[in-house]
Amino acid sequence: MKDPETATVFAGLDGRTDAKLPEWYADRHGVTDPLSFSEAVRDLPQAIDTAVAYRNPYTDEWVETERFNAIVEPSRLQAEEGDAEAEPLFHIPTDSYAIINPVDVYGPLEEVLREETIDGTPLGDVMFGEIRRYRGGGEVHMDIMFDGLEVRLPGRVDPITMGVTSGYDFFGEHAVYVEGFAQDGHCSNSMRSLTDKEVIKHVGDVQSFRTWWEEILAQVELVADDLFEFIRDAREIDLDFSELPFTVTEFYSLLGFPDYLAERAASDAEANAASPIEIDMWTLHSGATYALTHFFQGKEGTSLDQYVRLANDILFNPEETIKRVEQAYEQQLEGDGDDGSQASLAGERALASIERVNSDIQEKVDQFEEREEALRERFQEAMN
């Protein structure tokens, strides 16, 4: 992803907690003295609205307009001219725009984290993560994880740690969003969209964020309970690329990844598989998250989400993944045109080999669907 203008690592809810970064996370970020979450949130830019004026080119006077107000950072309003980093203006929205400042959103989360516990310890005592700023602090994304809310895989020292990724902007897009998130301490890969993304727009009344956070954290705990089972089952589904009409790189390209990500994903999957030609679905998923975490060239947010969904289907919906690859390969054959009976016969054989893979995994698909359906039902119960 594009580098943030600033990034702040935090550990613990506030100064009353004696939280430390997990060793694997501290080693990755090189931070020994992180801020608390409360400090980091209160250091984020705020927004207020103020009247907008336009310059009359004939009289050289500024005339106030009542149509819109500007969204600005109040502490920057007296910044010296030419100081780009202190530019106060974020956005000039329509008159239906509702400002939601970071403390409005994350203050209620702090209350919840003091009360919710894991193994008898408040979540605020074990929280850690990173806050990233873009566009002068008018766009913010953060990872919030909880040490101990985790999945441990056999043969690995470092866990997959669960949490949420959240963010907001002052530019009229999402006022705030949150979704389930995890980070694999073994390879620092980020797993996103582990729950449905909840989004609040910059319009109308703001709901109770406390209830919102309680429901979301309940969903994350449910995912943590099931994630090990999804990974275990995905490890039992192998794709034998010696029997398929495409390479590992082409597999990712057919799924919809751009070439530069497909190459990175394939390289990682082949390096971490027991055999570079027989790779299980968990390793293929991990290759995709590796590429997205470390090499994605776009922005956090919508441009990343489409690829995250493709990656997650490899793990959570292997049948849909194989179908998508098969359809893309068939369209590719049709686009190549009819070069004669030999080419047509080769294409039919290639499609048949993909069909065999689909048939081989069919007996295991039911357990994925049953587990996903049960998880969705528990999500609904958590939101009621």
Side-chain angles (χ1 to χ4, degrees):
M1 291 175 292
K2 291 185 177 180
D3 291 336
E5 293 162 13
T6 64
T8 302
V9 173
F10 63 85
L13 182 57
D14 53 37
R16 291 174 290 180
T17 59
D18 187 24
K20 295 181 180 178
L21 293 171
E23 186 175 340
W24 62 269
Y25 198 82
D27 288 345
R28 176 189 169 192
H29 289 272
V31 176
T32 56
D33 188 22
L35 292 177
S36 71
F37 180 70
S38 295
E39 288 176 293
V41 166
R42 282 154 183 78
D43 188 48
L44 293 171
Q46 308 294 302
I48 61 172
D49 63 356
T50 186
V52 174
Y54 65 91
R55 188 178 68 83
N56 185 322
Y58 299 103
T59 66
D60 205 32
E61 294 178 338
W62 285 91
V63 182
E64 185 176 326
T65 173
E66 297 179 357
R67 293 186 61 194
F68 306 119
N69 285 345
I71 305 304
V72 298
E73 158 58 55
S75 68
R76 301 176 185 170
L77 289 174
Q78 296 183 6
E80 294 185 10
E81 186 176 352
D83 187 352
E85 292 185 359
E87 167 63 54
L89 178 65
F90 288 135
H91 184 49
I92 300 179
T94 66
D95 53 10
S96 63
Y97 184 98
I99 293 175
I100 303 178
N101 272 307
V103 175
D104 299 333
V105 180
Y106 302 106
L109 173 61
E110 294 174 19
E111 298 173 10
V112 173
L113 295 180
R114 289 188 181 97
E115 298 173 8
E116 296 292 328
T117 63
I118 177 172
D119 297 330
T121 300
L123 288 177
D125 290 1
V126 294
M127 73 182 305
F128 68 96
E130 180 185 59
I131 299 176
R132 299 175 293 277
R133 300 188 196 184
Y134 302 84
R135 295 197 280 179
E139 179 181 346
V140 171
H141 300 273
M142 63 181 75
D143 306 329
I144 303 171
M145 290 169 281
F146 305 101
D147 195 16
L149 184 60
E150 61 192 28
V151 174
R152 288 193 172 270
L153 301 181
R156 287 190 176 185
V157 174
D158 296 317
I160 298 172
T161 302
M162 308 294 299
V164 296
T165 188
S166 180
Y168 62 89
D169 69 51
F170 293 132
F171 297 97
E173 297 165 23
H174 51 260
V176 61
Y177 76 88
V178 67
E179 64 185 8
F181 172 87
Q183 193 159 96
D184 190 340
H186 178 72
C187 50
S188 297
N189 293 349
S190 296
M191 300 172 65
R192 299 170 180 270
S193 298
L194 296 181
T195 65
D196 292 335
K197 178 179 282 190
E198 302 291 337
V199 177
I200 292 176
K201 300 289 188 180
H202 284 284
V203 180
D205 294 332
V206 178
Q207 69 179 62
S208 168
F209 279 111
R210 180 186 173 90
T211 302
W212 197 61
W213 284 114
E214 289 171 342
E215 294 170 345
I216 290 163
L217 290 174
Q219 288 191 12
V220 171
E221 291 180 10
L222 293 174
V223 174
D225 292 340
D226 281 20
L227 184 58
F228 177 84
E229 305 297 331
F230 277 108
I231 294 173
R232 182 192 63 187
D233 292 346
R235 278 179 154 179
E236 296 177 359
I237 299 177
D238 296 315
L239 295 190
D240 187 345
F241 285 89
S242 67
E243 300 290 331
L244 290 168
F246 45 75
T247 64
V248 182
T249 300
E250 290 167 340
F251 165 82
Y252 289 109
S253 296
L254 289 166
L255 261 183
F257 289 96
D259 289 345
Y260 80 96
L261 288 178
E263 291 169 4
R264 295 289 188 176
S267 176
D268 183 75
E270 290 170 339
N272 287 286
S275 164
I277 60 172
E278 189 169 343
I279 307 177
D280 64 66
M281 298 299 276
W282 161 244
T283 304
L284 289 168
H285 169 268
S286 188
T289 59
Y290 168 79
L292 292 174
T293 301
H294 303 289
F295 298 99
F296 180 63
Q297 295 174 2
K299 290 177 60 180
E300 294 190 64
T302 305
S303 61
L304 176 61
D305 290 348
Q306 59 181 320
Y307 301 121
V308 169
R309 286 191 291 271
L310 295 176
N312 283 354
D313 274 349
I314 300 174
L315 175 61
F316 297 108
N317 198 344
E319 182 184 29
E320 179 62 28
T321 294
I322 299 301
K323 284 182 179 178
R324 187 179 290 117
V325 168
E326 181 181 14
Q327 291 169 358
Y329 186 80
E330 190 169 8
Q331 290 171 2
Q332 189 179 84
L333 288 177
E334 292 173 356
D336 290 341
D338 188 0
D339 295 328
S341 59
Q342 281 296 109
S344 178
L345 181 59
E348 290 178 7
R349 288 174 176 169
L351 287 172
S353 68
I354 303 174
E355 278 291 339
R356 284 196 296 274
V357 171
N358 204 11
S359 298
D360 290 343
I361 71 170
Q362 197 61 48
E363 63 185 54
K364 299 175 182 177
V365 163
D366 289 344
Q367 63 198 40
F368 277 84
E369 292 179 345
E370 290 171 4
R371 186 172 290 118
E372 187 171 28
E373 183 178 351
L375 184 57
R376 290 293 171 193
E377 288 177 359
R378 298 207 299 278
F379 277 179
Q380 290 303 316
E381 292 172 2
M383 295 296 283
N384 292 331

Short mmCIF file of all heavy atoms in Angstrom, two decimals, residues 287-322:
data_model
loop_
_atom_site.label_atom_id
_atom_site.label_comp_id
_atom_site.label_asym_id
_atom_site.label_seq_id
_atom_site.Cartn_x
_atom_site.Cartn_y
_atom_site.Cartn_z
N GLY A 287 -0.40 -16.75 0.21
CA GLY A 287 0.34 -16.07 -0.85
C GLY A 287 -0.35 -14.80 -1.29
O GLY A 287 0.28 -13.77 -1.53
N ALA A 288 -1.69 -14.86 -1.38
CA ALA A 288 -2.46 -13.68 -1.79
C ALA A 288 -2.37 -12.58 -0.74
O ALA A 288 -2.18 -11.40 -1.06
CB ALA A 288 -3.91 -14.07 -2.04
N THR A 289 -2.50 -12.93 0.55
CA THR A 289 -2.42 -11.90 1.59
C THR A 289 -1.01 -11.33 1.70
O THR A 289 -0.83 -10.15 2.02
CB THR A 289 -2.86 -12.46 2.96
OG1 THR A 289 -2.04 -13.58 3.33
CG2 THR A 289 -4.32 -12.90 2.93
N TYR A 290 0.00 -12.17 1.41
CA TYR A 290 1.38 -11.67 1.39
C TYR A 290 1.53 -10.58 0.32
O TYR A 290 2.08 -9.50 0.59
CB TYR A 290 2.33 -12.84 1.09
CG TYR A 290 3.75 -12.43 0.75
CD1 TYR A 290 4.65 -12.06 1.74
CD2 TYR A 290 4.18 -12.42 -0.58
CE1 TYR A 290 5.95 -11.69 1.42
CE2 TYR A 290 5.48 -12.06 -0.91
CZ TYR A 290 6.36 -11.69 0.10
OH TYR A 290 7.65 -11.32 -0.22
N ALA A 291 1.03 -10.85 -0.87
CA ALA A 291 1.14 -9.87 -1.96
C ALA A 291 0.40 -8.59 -1.62
O ALA A 291 0.90 -7.48 -1.85
CB ALA A 291 0.62 -10.48 -3.26
N LEU A 292 -0.81 -8.72 -1.07
CA LEU A 292 -1.62 -7.54 -0.76
C LEU A 292 -1.02 -6.73 0.39
O LEU A 292 -1.07 -5.50 0.39
CB LEU A 292 -3.04 -7.96 -0.41
CG LEU A 292 -3.87 -8.53 -1.57
CD1 LEU A 292 -5.21 -9.04 -1.07
CD2 LEU A 292 -4.08 -7.49 -2.66
N THR A 293 -0.47 -7.42 1.38
CA THR A 293 0.08 -6.72 2.55
C THR A 293 1.36 -5.96 2.21
O THR A 293 1.54 -4.82 2.65
CB THR A 293 0.38 -7.73 3.68
OG1 THR A 293 -0.82 -8.41 4.04
CG2 THR A 293 0.95 -7.02 4.91
N HIS A 294 2.22 -6.58 1.41
CA HIS A 294 3.56 -6.03 1.24
C HIS A 294 3.81 -5.35 -0.11
O HIS A 294 4.80 -4.61 -0.25
CB HIS A 294 4.60 -7.14 1.45
CG HIS A 294 4.49 -7.81 2.78
ND1 HIS A 294 4.85 -7.19 3.96
CD2 HIS A 294 4.02 -9.04 3.14
CE1 HIS A 294 4.63 -8.02 4.98
NE2 HIS A 294 4.13 -9.14 4.50
N PHE A 295 2.93 -5.58 -1.11
CA PHE A 295 3.25 -5.08 -2.45
C PHE A 295 2.09 -4.36 -3.15
O PHE A 295 2.28 -3.86 -4.25
CB PHE A 295 3.74 -6.24 -3.34
CG PHE A 295 4.99 -6.88 -2.84
CD1 PHE A 295 4.94 -8.07 -2.12
CD2 PHE A 295 6.22 -6.27 -3.04
CE1 PHE A 295 6.10 -8.66 -1.63
CE2 PHE A 295 7.39 -6.85 -2.56
CZ PHE A 295 7.33 -8.05 -1.85
N PHE A 296 0.93 -4.29 -2.54
CA PHE A 296 -0.19 -3.60 -3.17
C PHE A 296 0.16 -2.12 -3.36
O PHE A 296 0.63 -1.45 -2.44
CB PHE A 296 -1.45 -3.72 -2.31
CG PHE A 296 -2.65 -3.02 -2.87
CD1 PHE A 296 -3.20 -3.43 -4.07
CD2 PHE A 296 -3.23 -1.96 -2.20
CE1 PHE A 296 -4.31 -2.77 -4.60
CE2 PHE A 296 -4.34 -1.30 -2.72
CZ PHE A 296 -4.87 -1.72 -3.93
N GLN A 297 -0.06 -1.60 -4.57
CA GLN A 297 0.40 -0.26 -4.91
C GLN A 297 -0.70 0.80 -4.80
O GLN A 297 -0.44 1.98 -5.03
CB GLN A 297 0.97 -0.26 -6.34
CG GLN A 297 2.23 -1.10 -6.48
CD GLN A 297 2.72 -1.22 -7.91
OE1 GLN A 297 2.14 -0.64 -8.83
NE2 GLN A 297 3.78 -1.99 -8.11
N GLY A 298 -1.93 0.38 -4.47
CA GLY A 298 -3.03 1.33 -4.38
C GLY A 298 -3.20 1.85 -2.97
O GLY A 298 -2.33 1.72 -2.10
N LYS A 299 -4.37 2.43 -2.72
CA LYS A 299 -4.69 3.00 -1.42
C LYS A 299 -5.46 2.03 -0.56
O LYS A 299 -6.12 1.12 -1.07
CB LYS A 299 -5.55 4.26 -1.61
CG LYS A 299 -4.82 5.45 -2.22
CD LYS A 299 -5.78 6.61 -2.43
CE LYS A 299 -6.41 7.04 -1.12
NZ LYS A 299 -7.35 8.17 -1.29
N GLU A 300 -5.36 2.20 0.74
CA GLU A 300 -6.25 1.49 1.64
C GLU A 300 -7.68 1.91 1.34
O GLU A 300 -7.95 3.05 0.97
CB GLU A 300 -5.91 1.81 3.09
CG GLU A 300 -4.56 1.32 3.54
CD GLU A 300 -4.36 1.44 5.04
OE1 GLU A 300 -5.10 0.76 5.79
OE2 GLU A 300 -3.48 2.20 5.45
N GLY A 301 -8.61 0.98 1.55
CA GLY A 301 -10.01 1.32 1.30
C GLY A 301 -10.57 0.55 0.12
O GLY A 301 -10.22 -0.61 -0.11
N THR A 302 -11.43 1.19 -0.67
CA THR A 302 -12.19 0.50 -1.71
C THR A 302 -11.30 -0.17 -2.73
O THR A 302 -11.59 -1.29 -3.18
CB THR A 302 -13.14 1.50 -2.41
OG1 THR A 302 -13.95 2.13 -1.44
CG2 THR A 302 -14.02 0.78 -3.42
N SER A 303 -10.20 0.47 -3.14
CA SER A 303 -9.34 -0.12 -4.17
C SER A 303 -8.68 -1.40 -3.70
O SER A 303 -8.34 -2.27 -4.51
CB SER A 303 -8.27 0.89 -4.61
OG SER A 303 -7.43 1.24 -3.53
N LEU A 304 -8.49 -1.55 -2.41
CA LEU A 304 -7.92 -2.78 -1.84
C LEU A 304 -8.98 -3.84 -1.60
O LEU A 304 -8.71 -5.05 -1.74
CB LEU A 304 -7.20 -2.44 -0.53
CG LEU A 304 -6.61 -3.59 0.28
CD1 LEU A 304 -5.54 -4.33 -0.52
CD2 LEU A 304 -6.02 -3.07 1.59
N ASP A 305 -10.19 -3.42 -1.26
CA ASP A 305 -11.24 -4.35 -0.84
C ASP A 305 -11.53 -5.43 -1.88
O ASP A 305 -11.79 -6.58 -1.53
CB ASP A 305 -12.53 -3.60 -0.52
CG ASP A 305 -12.42 -2.77 0.76
OD1 ASP A 305 -11.44 -2.96 1.49
OD2 ASP A 305 -13.31 -1.94 1.01
N GLN A 306 -11.54 -5.06 -3.16
CA GLN A 306 -11.91 -6.03 -4.20
C GLN A 306 -10.94 -7.21 -4.23
O GLN A 306 -11.34 -8.35 -4.45
CB GLN A 306 -11.95 -5.34 -5.56
CG GLN A 306 -10.64 -4.70 -5.98
CD GLN A 306 -10.72 -4.01 -7.32
OE1 GLN A 306 -11.34 -4.53 -8.25
NE2 GLN A 306 -10.09 -2.84 -7.45
N TYR A 307 -9.67 -6.94 -3.98
CA TYR A 307 -8.67 -8.01 -3.98
C TYR A 307 -8.70 -8.81 -2.68
O TYR A 307 -8.40 -10.00 -2.66
CB TYR A 307 -7.28 -7.43 -4.24
CG TYR A 307 -7.19 -6.70 -5.56
CD1 TYR A 307 -6.84 -5.36 -5.61
CD2 TYR A 307 -7.49 -7.35 -6.76
CE1 TYR A 307 -6.77 -4.67 -6.82
CE2 TYR A 307 -7.42 -6.67 -7.98
CZ TYR A 307 -7.07 -5.34 -7.99
OH TYR A 307 -7.01 -4.67 -9.19
N VAL A 308 -9.03 -8.14 -1.59
CA VAL A 308 -9.19 -8.84 -0.31
C VAL A 308 -10.29 -9.89 -0.42
O VAL A 308 -10.15 -11.02 0.08
CB VAL A 308 -9.48 -7.85 0.82
CG1 VAL A 308 -9.91 -8.59 2.09
CG2 VAL A 308 -8.26 -6.99 1.11
N ARG A 309 -11.39 -9.54 -1.07
CA ARG A 309 -12.48 -10.50 -1.24
C ARG A 309 -12.03 -11.72 -2.04
O ARG A 309 -12.40 -12.86 -1.71
CB ARG A 309 -13.67 -9.83 -1.93
CG ARG A 309 -14.46 -8.87 -1.03
CD ARG A 309 -15.76 -8.45 -1.65
NE ARG A 309 -15.56 -7.59 -2.81
CZ ARG A 309 -15.47 -6.26 -2.74
NH1 ARG A 309 -15.56 -5.66 -1.56
NH2 ARG A 309 -15.31 -5.54 -3.83
N LEU A 310 -11.24 -11.50 -3.08
CA LEU A 310 -10.72 -12.63 -3.87
C LEU A 310 -9.83 -13.52 -3.00
O LEU A 310 -9.92 -14.75 -3.07
CB LEU A 310 -9.92 -12.11 -5.07
CG LEU A 310 -10.69 -11.33 -6.14
CD1 LEU A 310 -9.71 -10.80 -7.19
CD2 LEU A 310 -11.75 -12.21 -6.79
N ALA A 311 -8.96 -12.89 -2.21
CA ALA A 311 -8.07 -13.66 -1.34
C ALA A 311 -8.85 -14.47 -0.31
O ALA A 311 -8.57 -15.65 -0.07
CB ALA A 311 -7.08 -12.72 -0.64
N ASN A 312 -9.86 -13.84 0.29
CA ASN A 312 -10.63 -14.52 1.33
C ASN A 312 -11.43 -15.70 0.79
O ASN A 312 -11.63 -16.69 1.49
CB ASN A 312 -11.55 -13.53 2.04
CG ASN A 312 -10.80 -12.65 3.02
OD1 ASN A 312 -9.61 -12.85 3.25
ND2 ASN A 312 -11.47 -11.67 3.59
N ASP A 313 -11.90 -15.60 -0.46
CA ASP A 313 -12.64 -16.72 -1.03
C ASP A 313 -11.76 -17.96 -1.17
O ASP A 313 -12.25 -19.09 -1.10
CB ASP A 313 -13.21 -16.33 -2.41
CG ASP A 313 -14.56 -15.65 -2.30
OD1 ASP A 313 -15.15 -15.66 -1.20
OD2 ASP A 313 -15.04 -15.10 -3.31
N ILE A 314 -10.46 -17.77 -1.38
CA ILE A 314 -9.56 -18.93 -1.47
C ILE A 314 -9.64 -19.75 -0.18
O ILE A 314 -9.64 -20.98 -0.20
CB ILE A 314 -8.11 -18.48 -1.73
CG1 ILE A 314 -8.01 -17.70 -3.04
CG2 ILE A 314 -7.17 -19.69 -1.76
CD1 ILE A 314 -6.62 -17.09 -3.28
N LEU A 315 -9.73 -19.04 0.96
CA LEU A 315 -9.78 -19.72 2.25
C LEU A 315 -11.19 -20.14 2.65
O LEU A 315 -11.42 -21.27 3.06
CB LEU A 315 -9.19 -18.79 3.33
CG LEU A 315 -9.27 -19.29 4.78
CD1 LEU A 315 -8.51 -20.59 4.95
CD2 LEU A 315 -8.74 -18.22 5.72
N PHE A 316 -12.14 -19.22 2.51
CA PHE A 316 -13.48 -19.45 3.05
C PHE A 316 -14.47 -20.02 2.03
O PHE A 316 -15.50 -20.56 2.43
CB PHE A 316 -14.06 -18.14 3.60
CG PHE A 316 -13.28 -17.58 4.75
CD1 PHE A 316 -12.50 -16.44 4.59
CD2 PHE A 316 -13.31 -18.18 6.00
CE1 PHE A 316 -11.78 -15.91 5.65
CE2 PHE A 316 -12.59 -17.67 7.07
CZ PHE A 316 -11.83 -16.53 6.89
N ASN A 317 -14.17 -19.92 0.76
CA ASN A 317 -15.09 -20.39 -0.27
C ASN A 317 -14.31 -20.98 -1.44
O ASN A 317 -14.32 -20.44 -2.56
CB ASN A 317 -15.98 -19.22 -0.74
CG ASN A 317 -17.22 -19.69 -1.46
OD1 ASN A 317 -17.31 -20.84 -1.89
ND2 ASN A 317 -18.17 -18.81 -1.64
N PRO A 318 -13.63 -22.11 -1.22
CA PRO A 318 -12.78 -22.68 -2.29
C PRO A 318 -13.56 -23.07 -3.53
O PRO A 318 -13.03 -22.99 -4.64
CB PRO A 318 -12.15 -23.91 -1.61
CG PRO A 318 -13.02 -24.20 -0.43
CD PRO A 318 -13.57 -22.90 0.01
N GLU A 319 -14.81 -23.48 -3.39
CA GLU A 319 -15.61 -23.86 -4.56
C GLU A 319 -15.80 -22.66 -5.47
O GLU A 319 -15.64 -22.75 -6.70
CB GLU A 319 -16.96 -24.40 -4.12
CG GLU A 319 -17.82 -24.85 -5.30
CD GLU A 319 -19.21 -25.31 -4.87
OE1 GLU A 319 -19.70 -24.81 -3.84
OE2 GLU A 319 -19.79 -26.16 -5.57
N GLU A 320 -16.15 -21.50 -4.90
CA GLU A 320 -16.35 -20.30 -5.70
C GLU A 320 -15.04 -19.89 -6.37
O GLU A 320 -15.03 -19.41 -7.51
CB GLU A 320 -16.88 -19.16 -4.82
CG GLU A 320 -17.10 -17.85 -5.55
CD GLU A 320 -18.14 -17.96 -6.65
OE1 GLU A 320 -19.05 -18.81 -6.54
OE2 GLU A 320 -18.02 -17.19 -7.63
N THR A 321 -13.92 -20.09 -5.69
CA THR A 321 -12.62 -19.76 -6.26
C THR A 321 -12.35 -20.58 -7.51
O THR A 321 -11.94 -20.05 -8.55
CB THR A 321 -11.51 -19.99 -5.22
OG1 THR A 321 -11.67 -19.05 -4.15
CG2 THR A 321 -10.13 -19.81 -5.83
N ILE A 322 -12.56 -21.90 -7.42
CA ILE A 322 -12.32 -22.77 -8.58
C ILE A 322 -13.26 -22.42 -9.72
O ILE A 322 -12.87 -22.40 -10.89
CB ILE A 322 -12.47 -24.25 -8.18
CG1 ILE A 322 -11.45 -24.62 -7.09
CG2 ILE A 322 -12.29 -25.15 -9.40
CD1 ILE A 322 -10.02 -24.41 -7.49
#
